[in-house]
């Protein structure tokens, strides 16, 4: 009996760790974009690397959690939902990592007057990720998932508004089309983080309804 | 030969395991919270323990319904019940060995012209309504409490899972124990009178009486039934009727276990008696009915949506069909056994209105000229005597029952050697002395022997049936039953 509870505790801490990683990726993503826009390229690279490491760590954790849930036939009713949520959360981490890798490889040329909008867009993406993480923690304790789901959706819409504004401003500039398209693609990439967070939160709200005893 | 007869009881035990016992852990297995193997092992162990340690409580009620008094009859009654349950198990329907055995005993009563004790029948049949209702109420209350607790004190999903799992095993083990205690009488009850009453010493360590040994064998048969054939019924219970979550599965098992316990605990009965509270009849109830009641209880609290009424209809139909099928099978089977194989399926229970009987009934205030006209006549069985009383006398219902009670003929001789063979733990010293004082005396009615013993010592006397005397009378009746079975002689032996 103590064995069951010890295993439960271990798994619980692994899930917590996974969520910590996700939250940290959101924060690092924001800081990295700020660094890039403000020309601190070394710091940017260092943060990008950290995001890569966190992504690997989160992947390992997720695989181990999945193995334990199936091997020990734990939470049989919610197992599918929990794994679905964790896997979709991984997409959020991936979106951040891919965006940073692209910035690092393609060095987009962002004019200073757009910095504030890019930072605002990234910030909303990060907020969506933070609310999502809290929502998932609440899901494991059947408490107030809806509040967090609502906030994720709010920040995703805010991000969409900023992204649209940015794109309009970019394409209104007197620049080469290639350059405008390049900048526009970064707007889309950064916005993906909030979009992915919203996808997970939708899944989360359905799982929360299913979880009620 | 007795082992051959016992085989049908073992078959019935197996059916009980495959159907009734499956219910206990059904919801746990169907929600994948407990592995089938784990459930089967726990269930098997605790059913055996329940049967051996506290199995005696419900035997008496079944015995009152109809005293199947020959091994051939017991064999067929158990076989008919087992076949009826097997049929239902194959259909994946949770039914009850209790219902099957009651149906089969009624079949025996009809075939042999014996009397059906209406009071016992009503008592048993009413539990078929009360038991699921009670389980539904318990389940609804537990469910609401669980929901409140979980909302108020949020527990981590994984911790809740571990707690539910532990709870399911503990409650399931308790349920299996209660089921063993409550239902073993169904399986082995009809064989109890056929076994000797002496205790068996096991390697000088502890002693088991023969009834416990009989119950152990029955318990093992149940355990094998669980292990080998119970999965299908488990799935109907846990999935077919209404989608259960792990926590509701636990609520179902708890409600069921408590209901089974209420109907089988002798200690609870005596506690209620000593505290002046109303008692619950110790009747073999059905775990199937308890489980289905509990599931429906939760479904109702949850708003009644999602209940598969077609499955519920089939289950309830199965409950109605089981006793009927068992009764018909028992009747047909007894006919074959008696007329084709020439087996003795019932000890004759003739009725005779002798001088002594007439005196005795008039002492009870029953004086009827029309009864005098039947004086000296013998009747083959209860049915024939009842017909004669109804047609030939002006007696009413209660008087007829009284006349039947006293006119039932039998023969007993108090053989000294048999007194020596009595288990010393069964009788008090006073009761044994009373028996000794009657050595070599013969009696031709149960009441004669009973009243003679009561004249010797108050320890054999039955007191007025009220709350205070309940336990005393129960114990005396149990011992009297042993005395009748031990000292009964076939009419041919009587002359010695």
């Amino acid at each position: 009996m103590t064995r069951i509870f010890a295993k439960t505790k271990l798994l619980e801490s692994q899930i917590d760790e996974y969520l910590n990683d996700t939250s940290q990726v959101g924060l690092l993503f924001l800081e990295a974009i700020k660094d890039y826009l403000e020309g601190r390229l070394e710091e940017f690279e260092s943060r990008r690397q950290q995001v890569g490491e966190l992504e690997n760590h989160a992947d390992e954790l997720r695989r181990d959690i999945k193995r334990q849930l199936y091997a020990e036939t734990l939470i049989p009713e919610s197992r599918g939902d929990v794994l679905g949520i964790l896997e979709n959360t991984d997409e959020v981490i991936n979106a951040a990592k891919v965006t940073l890798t692209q910035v690092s490889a393609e060095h987009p040329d962002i004019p200073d007057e757009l910095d504030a909008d890019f930072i605002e867009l990234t910030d909303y993406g990060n907020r969506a990720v933070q609310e999502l993480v809290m929502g998932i923690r609440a899901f494991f304790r059947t408490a107030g998932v809806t509040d967090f789901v609502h906030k994720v959706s709010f920040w995703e819409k805010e991000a969409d508004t900023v992204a649209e504004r940015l794109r309009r401003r970019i394409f209104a500039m007197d620049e080469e089309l290639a350059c405008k398209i390049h900048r526009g693609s970064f707007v889309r990439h950064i916005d993906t983080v909030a979009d992915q967070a919203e996808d997970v939160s939708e899944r989360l709200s359905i799982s929360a309804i299913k979880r009620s005893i | 030969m007795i082992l051959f007869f016992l085989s049908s009881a073992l078959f019935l035990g197996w059916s009980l395991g495959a159907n009734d016992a499956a219910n206990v852990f059904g919801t746990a297995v169907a929600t994948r919270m407990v592995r089938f193997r784990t459930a089967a092992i726990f269930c098997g162990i605790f059913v055996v323990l329940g049967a051996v340690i506290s199995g005696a409580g419900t035997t008496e009620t079944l015995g009152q319904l109809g005293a199947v008094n020959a091994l051939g009859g017991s064999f067929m009654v158990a076989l008919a019940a087992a076949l009826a349950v097997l049929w239902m198990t194959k259909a994946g329907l949770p039914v009850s060995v209790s219902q099957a055995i009651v149906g089969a005993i009624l079949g025996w009563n009809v075939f042999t012209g014996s009397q059906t004790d209406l009071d016992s029948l009503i008592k048993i049949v009413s539990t078929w309504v009360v038991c699921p209702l009670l389980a539904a109420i318990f389940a609804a209350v537990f469910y609401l409490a669980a929901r409140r607790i979980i909302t108020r004190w949020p527990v981590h999903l994984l911790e809740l899972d571990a707690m539910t799992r532990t709870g399911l095993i503990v409650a399931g083990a308790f349920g299996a124990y209660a089921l063993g205690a409550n239902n073993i009488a169904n399986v082995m009850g009809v064989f109890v009178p056929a076994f000797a009453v002496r205790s068996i010493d096991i390697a000088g360590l502890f002693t088991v009486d023969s009834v416990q040994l009989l119950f152990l064998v029955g318990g093992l048969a149940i355990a094998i039934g669980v292990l080998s054939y119970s999965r299908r019924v488990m799935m109907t219970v846990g999935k077919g009727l209404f989608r259960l979550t792990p926590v509701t599965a636990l609520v179902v098992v708890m409600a069921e276990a408590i209901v089974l316990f209420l109907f089988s605990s002798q200690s609870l009965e005596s506690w209620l008696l000593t505290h002046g509270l109303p008692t619950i009849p110790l009747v073999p109830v059905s775990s199937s009915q308890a489980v289905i009641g509990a599931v429906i209880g939760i479904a109702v609290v949850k708003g009644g949506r999602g209940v598969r009424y077609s499955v519920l209809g089939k289950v309830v139909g199965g409950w109605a069909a089981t006793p009927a099928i068992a009764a018909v099978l028992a009747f047909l089977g007894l006919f074959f056994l008696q007329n084709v194989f020439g087996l003795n399926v019932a000890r004759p229970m003739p009725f005779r209105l002798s001088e002594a009987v007439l005196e005795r009934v008039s002492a009870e205030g029953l004086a009827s000229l029309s009864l005098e006209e039947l004086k000296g006549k013998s009747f083959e069985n209860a049915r024939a005597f009842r017909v004669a009383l109804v047609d030939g006398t002006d007696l009413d219902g209660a008087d007829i029952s009284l006349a039947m009670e006293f006119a039932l003929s039998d023969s007993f001789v108090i053989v000294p050697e048999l007194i020596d063979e009595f288990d010393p733990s069964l009788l008090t010293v006073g009761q044994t002395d009373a028996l000794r004082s009657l050595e070599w005396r013969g009696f031709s009615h149960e009441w004669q022997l009973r009243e003679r013993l009561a004249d010797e010592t108050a320890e054999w006397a039955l007191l007025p049936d009220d709350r205070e005397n309940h336990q005393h009378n129960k114990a005396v009746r149990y011992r009297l039953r042993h005395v009748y079975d031990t000292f009964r002689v076939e009419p041919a032996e009587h002359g010695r």
Side-chain angles (χ1 to χ4, degrees), chain B residues 16 20-21 24 47 174-184 222 260 285 287:
Chain B
L16 181 93
D20 275 60
V24 178
V47 160
F174 174 47
Y177 183 92
L179 178 72
N182 184 283
N183 267 229
I184 190 70
I222 299 173
L260 284 177
V285 290
S287 60

Side-chain angles (χ1 to χ4, degrees), chain A residues 1 4-5 7-9 11-13 15-16 69-79 82 137 139-143 210-213, chain B residues 30-33 35 143 146-148 150-151 154-163 165-166 169-170 239 243-248 302:
Chain A
M1 212 56 77
I4 295 180
F5 283 97
K7 278 199 170 157
T8 303
K9 281 278 166 213
L11 199 56
E12 242 183 274
S13 67
I15 290 172
D16 269 339
L69 285 182
Y70 276 95
E72 310 286 333
T73 54
L74 296 172
I75 45 167
E77 288 286 302
S78 343
R79 192 162 54 194
V82 166
R137 289 196 210 276
F139 166 76
F140 281 105
R141 296 190 180 273
T142 11
K210 276 168 73 185
R211 238 211 92 176
S212 61
I213 64 160
Chain B
T31 52
R32 289 174 294 168
M33 291 297 278
R35 286 197 188 94
Y143 170 74
R147 195 165 70 178
R148 213 189 163 91
I150 292 171
T151 329
V155 189
H156 195 282
L157 181 61
L158 288 162
E159 280 168 35
L160 183 65
D161 181 74
M163 285 192 263
R165 227 168 263 268
T166 314
I169 290 183
V170 173
K239 273 218 165 117
R243 204 183 144 74
L244 292 170
T245 64
V247 174
T248 47
K302 278 184 139 182

Side-chain angles (χ1 to χ4, degrees), chain B residues 189-331:
Chain B
V190 284
F191 287 94
V192 169
F195 268 72
V197 286
R198 188 151 267 284
S199 299
I200 297 152
D201 194 34
I202 296 178
L205 292 172
F206 53 92
T207 54
V208 282
D209 61 42
S210 58
V211 175
Q212 281 181 319
L213 195 66
L214 201 60
F215 285 1
L216 173 68
V217 176
L220 289 174
I222 299 173
I224 293 168
V226 178
L227 283 162
S228 58
Y229 208 73
S230 61
R231 197 186 274 263
R232 206 164 155 186
V233 172
M234 284 196 186
M235 289 303 158
T236 304
V237 168
K239 273 218 165 117
L241 194 62
F242 180 75
R243 204 183 144 74
L244 292 170
T245 64
V247 174
T248 47
L250 173 62
V251 166
V252 168
V253 175
M254 277 166 49
E256 181 207 12
I258 287 178
V259 168
L260 284 177
F261 172 76
L262 290 180
F263 282 105
S264 55
S265 171
Q266 295 188 82
S267 1
L268 179 72
E269 188 192 40
S270 52
W271 186 87
L272 288 172
L273 275 170
T274 49
H275 289 78
L277 295 166
T279 56
I280 295 156
L282 299 183
V283 173
V285 290
S286 155
S287 60
S288 313
Q289 291 175 337
V291 155
I292 300 296
V295 172
I296 297 299
I298 291 174
V300 167
V301 176
K302 278 184 139 182
R305 286 184 303 273
V307 179
R308 293 195 192 94
Y309 289 101
S310 58
V311 178
L312 181 64
K314 258 171 76 179
V315 169
V316 175
W319 292 352
T322 310
I325 292 171
V328 172
L329 284 179
F331 188 88

Side-chain angles (χ1 to χ4, degrees), chain A residues 29-88:
Chain A
F29 179 60
L30 174 62
E31 294 307 314
I33 293 290
K34 276 187 194 163
D35 285 338
Y36 179 77
L37 293 173
E38 286 159 17
R40 296 187 296 271
L41 291 185
E42 243 176 68
E43 281 89 338
F44 167 77
E45 280 304 328
S46 144
R47 293 198 201 277
R48 185 180 70 82
Q49 216 171 344
Q50 283 182 55
V51 168
E53 282 161 12
L54 283 171
E55 199 254 358
N56 285 340
H57 184 237
D59 265 352
E60 275 168 32
L61 278 172
R62 187 174 49 80
R63 271 194 289 272
D64 200 30
I65 291 166
K66 184 176 178 176
R67 188 191 55 74
Q68 288 183 64
L69 285 182
Y70 276 95
E72 310 286 333
T73 54
L74 296 172
I75 45 167
E77 288 286 302
S78 343
R79 192 162 54 194
D81 287 331
V82 166
L83 286 175
I85 289 166
L86 296 186
E87 267 161 27
N88 284 23

